[in-house]
Amino acid sequence: MLDRLQGQKRTHYCGVLRRENEGEIVTVCGWIQRQRDLGGLIFADLRDRTGIVQLAFDDNTEKSLFEKASTLHSEYVVMAEGKVRVRSSINKEIPTGEVEIEVTSLKILGESQTPPFEILENSNAGEDLRLKYRYLDLRRPDIQKNILLRHKITKVTRDYFDENGFIEIETPTLIKSTPEGARDYLVPSRIHKGSFFALPQSPQLYKQLLMLSGFDRYMQIARCYRDEDLRADRQPEFTQIDLEMSFVEPDDVYAIAEGYIKRLFKEVLDVDIPTPLPRLKFVDAMNDYGSDKPDTRFEMKIKDLSDIVENCGFSVFSDTIKNGGTVRAITAKGAVDTYTRKEIDKLTETAKGIGAKGLAFIRWVEDTPTCSFSKFMTEDEMKAILERTGAEKGDLVLIVADKKSLCLSVLGALRLTVAKRLDIIPDTYNFLWITEFPFFEYNEETGNWDAMHHPFTSPLDESIQYLDTNPEKVFAKAYDLVLNGVELSSGSIRITDPVLQSKMFKALGLSDEEAHEKFGFLTDAFKYGAPPHGGMGIGLDRLVMLMCGCDSLRDVIAFPKISNTTEPMSGAPAQVDDIQLKDLNIKTLE
C-alpha cells in the first residue's frame, strides 16, 4: 500500500466530495477526526480545512490495509486513495454525508500524541489552554471558518479599491515616534545608540505624504501597533484597511466607504446593505443614546426630564439641576417581569460602578405605576414624566441625575445591559455615520481643553473663528463609521493650510519648536503644494469579528495576544541575553 502512494498527489479536498463523485478514484489528505472500529468494519473521519469525509474499511479491504486502519488515532495525518461510493447510512449533519471513500491505499504521514483538548467545533476547552496550543486550536472548523472568511474579506477589499482607482502602497513599519494618543512600541537602534524607532499606531503621516506626492488615491491593509490595555475588541497589534483620497470632502469619503460596505456584505454574506447609510451628529448620538458609537438596532432612546423636575419636591432631582446637572431617563418596554426589585438593585450597583450616585426608577406593574420618589412629586409632574418617557403598563423607567456627561454615559451603558437581558436586539447589521465631532474635550482635572483628534484633523470652516476664543464651539470634519455599537472606522478631512496648521498646534499646546521637532517633515511638505485630502481607517479585525458573529477579536486573528499582552503559545514577550542588550547599548533595571 505504501508504494502505491509514493509520489501520489491529492486530487480532492475532503469537504468537496458529493454524490455526483460516485465511482471516482480520489486521493485525499488530512487529519483523523475520529476512528470507529466495529470489528469487521472500520470508519475514520478525515478532516481538512474544507470539511470531513468518511473513510471506510470493510470485508473487501486487503488484510494489511485493514490492520493499518485499526492503528489510526485522532489527529494522525494520513493520505488515502479509494473509490467514492454512496453511504448506506446518510449523515445529514455534514455536506459530504451522502458519500464515503472505500479506501484501497493508505499512508500515515504523521502520528500524533493525544492532544490536550479535543479538536471540535465550539470546543468547551478553556481559552488559556487553547491559546497555549493555538496551532491545534486553529484546526477547529469554526476557527478555520473565521480565518477563511477573513481571507475572502481581504480579497474583496483589494478588488473593490483597485477597481475604484486606489493604489496599494506599503508604508514603513519602523518610523519616528510621534504623539498619536496611545503609547508607542519602541524599537532600539543598534547603529544609532540611544535612539529609537517606533512601530506605527497608524500610517497617518505617510499616507498624507503620499497625497502630497500625487498618488491621489491610496489604500493599504496596514499593520498597526498600540501599547495599551486590551479588551475583547482591542489588540496591541491590529490590522486596518487604510484609505486616503485627494480633492475630496466628507461626502466623497462616505460614498467610497458605503460602496465598499455594500459590495463586501453582498459578496461575502449575501446580505444587502441599503445605502446611503444614515448619519447622526455626535451631539445627537450622545443625547439620544449616551454613546458616540450607538447600537441603533433597538430604540430605548434617552429622554431629558430636567425641565419637568427642576422645581419638584424631590431634592435629588432639583438640587442636581440647580448645580448644573441634568436628569435623564430610558424606558425598557415590557420589562417589569424580567426586572424585579432584586434585579433593579443589581442594575443600581452597575450604575454606581460606572460612577452614578444612584438609580431612580418607575416600575409600572399594576394599574398605577410605583416609584420610590412619587411622594415628592405632584400628579402633573408624574404625568409629564410618563408622557415624556412614553411609559405604559408593563414598562420600566430608569432615571439618573448627575452632571450631563456622566448621566449620558451611565444610561448609555444601562441601555445596552437591559437590551441584552431582554433579548430585544435583532440579528441585523445597522451601520451609522457619526459626524461633526467636537474638536476639543474639556478636562475637568486640569481645566484645559484637550484635543479629541490627531493634530491634522481639519475643523469645520464655520468653526475656525472660535479656535482662540470658544473651544467648545469648534467642531471637526471628522467622522466615524459604526456597526451595531462597535466603532469600525475613524477618519477626517486633513489640514493642508500651513497657517491654519500652525494655529492648530498652538491650540493644542505645542510650541513652534515642539511642532517642528515632532511633525516638521510633514509640515515642511505642505509648503510645496498640498492638495486637499482626507481619508479613514477601517478596523479589519473588528469588521471580520462582526461578520463572523464572534464576541472577541481573538477568534478571528490567527495568533492573538491575551489580556496581559502576552502570546501564550510562544511565550512572547521574553527576556533577551546580555549580548543582544550590549549591542543595543541598553541595560535593564530590576
Side-chain angles (χ1 to χ4, degrees):
M1 298 312 133
L2 294 180
D3 290 340
R4 263 201 49 75
L5 286 173
Q6 292 296 336
Q8 182 77 4
K9 299 294 186 182
R10 174 170 55 189
T11 63
H12 293 74
Y13 281 94
C14 296
V16 304
L17 296 174
R18 299 291 188 272
R19 182 183 283 267
E20 51 264 33
N21 298 110
E22 182 183 0
E24 294 181 20
I25 304 298
V26 300
T27 301
V28 291
C29 303
W31 286 261
I32 297 296
Q33 179 71 29
R34 63 172 180 157
Q35 183 251 45
R36 305 179 301 287
D37 192 334
L38 306 178
L41 190 62
I42 295 175
F43 294 117
D45 292 336
L46 188 66
R47 182 193 72 241
D48 64 18
R49 65 180 171 88
T50 65
I52 286 177
V53 68
Q54 179 169 278
L55 306 181
F57 308 83
D58 53 27
D59 293 341
N60 298 320
T61 304
E62 187 178 313
K63 183 179 178 182
S64 60
L65 176 57
F66 195 90
E67 289 175 351
K68 182 181 289 187
S70 70
T71 68
L72 296 176
H73 293 288
S74 294
E75 301 312 309
Y76 272 36
V77 183
V78 305
M79 174 184 285
E81 181 186 66
K83 181 185 290 187
V84 178
R85 70 186 185 191
V86 175
R87 288 172 61 156
S88 58
S89 177
I90 292 175
N91 181 355
K92 295 182 179 179
E93 299 298 318
I94 57 175
T96 62
E98 288 188 295
V99 297
E100 63 188 9
I101 299 174
E102 181 184 2
V103 179
T104 54
S105 300
L106 177 71
K107 184 175 183 180
I108 297 175
L109 302 172
E111 297 183 353
S112 173
Q113 298 179 9
T114 301
F117 55 89
E118 197 171 358
I119 312 300
L120 289 175
E121 193 158 358
N122 302 316
S123 170
N124 59 8
E127 187 180 51
D128 289 346
L129 179 65
R130 290 191 293 104
L131 290 179
K132 182 178 180 181
Y133 297 93
R134 183 61 165 179
Y135 46 87
L136 297 179
D137 193 39
L138 285 169
R139 293 182 190 175
R140 295 195 299 115
D142 45 340
I143 295 293
Q144 289 200 342
K145 181 181 69 175
N146 295 343
I147 300 300
L148 292 170
L149 189 77
R150 181 181 180 123
H151 161 74
K152 188 171 183 180
I153 289 170
T154 56
K155 182 183 184 305
V156 172
T157 299
R158 284 191 163 98
D159 289 346
Y160 172 81
F161 286 107
D162 174 65
E163 292 165 15
N164 282 275
F166 286 78
I167 302 166
E168 185 168 3
I169 306 175
E170 294 179 349
T171 53
T173 301
L174 297 174
I175 67 171
K176 181 179 180 179
S177 179
T178 56
E180 285 204 42
R183 294 186 190 90
D184 283 332
Y185 278 103
L186 300 177
V187 180
S189 169
R190 178 181 59 83
I191 297 173
H192 303 280
K193 308 294 187 185
S195 295
F196 294 81
F197 295 104
L199 300 181
Q201 294 185 34
S202 76
Q204 183 61 47
L205 304 186
Y206 287 95
K207 69 179 182 180
Q208 289 192 245
L209 286 169
L210 288 170
M211 295 302 100
L212 274 70
S213 302
F215 284 100
D216 188 67
R217 288 190 169 196
Y218 141 95
M219 74 82 59
Q220 180 182 190
I221 297 180
R223 297 291 284 167
C224 306
Y225 308 86
R226 293 183 181 179
D227 186 4
E228 57 187 357
D229 297 333
L230 304 195
R231 56 187 184 218
D233 64 347
R234 180 181 288 171
Q235 284 275 303
E237 50 183 329
F238 58 96
T239 307
Q240 71 181 34
I241 303 163
D242 203 46
L243 315 174
E244 198 76 8
M245 306 162 61
S246 292
F247 310 107
V248 293
E249 285 296 330
D251 283 347
D252 303 302
V253 181
Y254 299 158
I256 281 291
E258 289 175 5
Y260 166 63
I261 292 298
K262 192 173 188 69
R263 165 90 166 265
L264 181 69
F265 274 72
K266 185 62 179 176
E267 285 200 21
V268 176
L269 299 180
D270 196 24
V271 171
D272 291 306
I273 301 296
T275 54
L277 302 178
R279 303 178 191 179
L280 192 63
K281 292 181 181 180
F282 172 89
V283 64
D284 295 326
M286 294 302 300
N287 285 334
D288 287 346
Y289 301 101
S291 172
D292 60 356
K293 47 182 184 295
D295 191 336
T296 57
R297 288 176 294 175
F298 61 100
E299 279 290 318
M300 211 184 300
K301 290 184 179 181
I302 297 171
K303 303 297 181 181
D304 190 353
L305 308 180
S306 302
D307 59 318
I308 298 173
V309 300
E310 61 180 332
N311 296 313
C312 74
F314 188 42
S315 60
V316 171
F317 291 168
S318 56
D319 288 353
T320 296
I321 296 169
K322 285 187 181 111
N323 292 324
T326 184
V327 179
R328 311 234 173 176
I330 57 173
T331 301
K333 307 298 290 184
V336 295
D337 290 337
T338 302
Y339 280 98
T340 61
R341 280 300 305 268
K342 184 178 180 180
E343 292 297 319
I344 293 173
D345 289 342
K346 292 180 183 178
L347 275 182
T348 301
E349 292 307 310
T350 300
K352 287 181 178 179
I354 304 171
K357 299 180 182 69
L359 183 66
F361 66 91
I362 301 171
R363 189 167 178 266
W364 197 337
V365 182
E366 305 297 337
D367 290 337
T368 304
T370 58
C371 67
S372 55
F373 58 87
S374 59
K375 62 183 178 181
F376 302 105
M377 312 292 288
T378 67
E379 185 177 335
D380 286 343
E381 288 168 341
M382 284 301 300
K383 182 179 178 182
I385 289 174
L386 296 175
E387 287 180 355
R388 179 73 56 84
T389 58
E392 301 170 314
K393 186 177 179 180
D395 297 346
L396 174 68
V397 180
L398 303 174
I399 305 172
V400 176
D402 216 307
K403 59 185 179 183
K404 182 178 178 181
S405 59
L406 182 62
C407 203
L408 293 176
S409 64
V410 169
L411 287 172
L414 291 180
R415 176 179 177 270
L416 293 173
T417 299
V418 171
K420 290 175 183 175
R421 179 65 192 279
L422 296 177
D423 195 21
I424 61 171
I425 305 177
D427 186 18
T428 57
Y429 295 102
N430 272 33
F431 284 91
L432 176 71
W433 287 108
I434 304 297
T435 68
E436 296 188 21
F437 280 79
F439 208 96
F440 299 102
E441 184 176 35
Y442 185 69
N443 188 325
E444 294 184 0
E445 293 183 5
T446 64
N448 296 325
W449 288 90
D450 298 333
M452 286 186 66
H453 313 276
H454 65 70
F456 303 102
T457 300
S458 178
L460 292 175
D461 296 341
E462 59 269 28
S463 293
I464 295 175
Q465 60 183 312
Y466 301 116
L467 275 174
D468 299 324
T469 56
N470 297 98
E472 72 277 8
K473 292 184 178 181
V474 183
F475 292 88
K477 287 184 182 178
Y479 34 83
D480 280 3
L481 182 59
V482 175
L483 171 57
N484 295 353
V486 176
E487 178 195 315
L488 273 189
S489 172
S490 288
S492 68
I493 302 301
R494 324 303 185 185
I495 298 173
T496 54
D497 176 6
V499 175
L500 178 59
Q501 186 64 73
S502 177
K503 201 170 188 178
M504 289 308 308
F505 284 143
K506 284 184 171 60
L508 297 174
L510 292 174
S511 67
D512 291 339
E513 293 76 16
E514 289 173 317
H516 193 269
E517 170 65 23
K518 290 179 170 63
F519 304 109
F521 66 97
L522 179 61
T523 54
D524 285 348
F526 286 162
K527 300 172 184 177
Y528 296 95
H533 58 276
M536 62 193 298
I538 302 171
L540 177 62
D541 307 300
R542 291 183 181 182
L543 181 61
V544 177
M545 179 182 74
L546 292 170
M547 293 181 75
C548 288
C550 298
D551 296 321
S552 171
L553 292 179
R554 293 187 290 274
D555 292 331
V556 300
I557 295 173
F559 299 102
K561 303 295 189 291
I562 59 175
S563 58
N564 63 0
T565 71
T566 63
E567 185 198 287
M569 184 189 70
S570 68
Q575 295 182 349
V576 297
D577 60 42
D578 291 340
I579 295 174
Q580 289 174 285
L581 292 177
K582 187 176 180 180
D583 282 344
L584 297 169
N585 203 33
I586 287 177
K587 287 184 178 181
T588 59
L589 300 175
E590 293 294 331

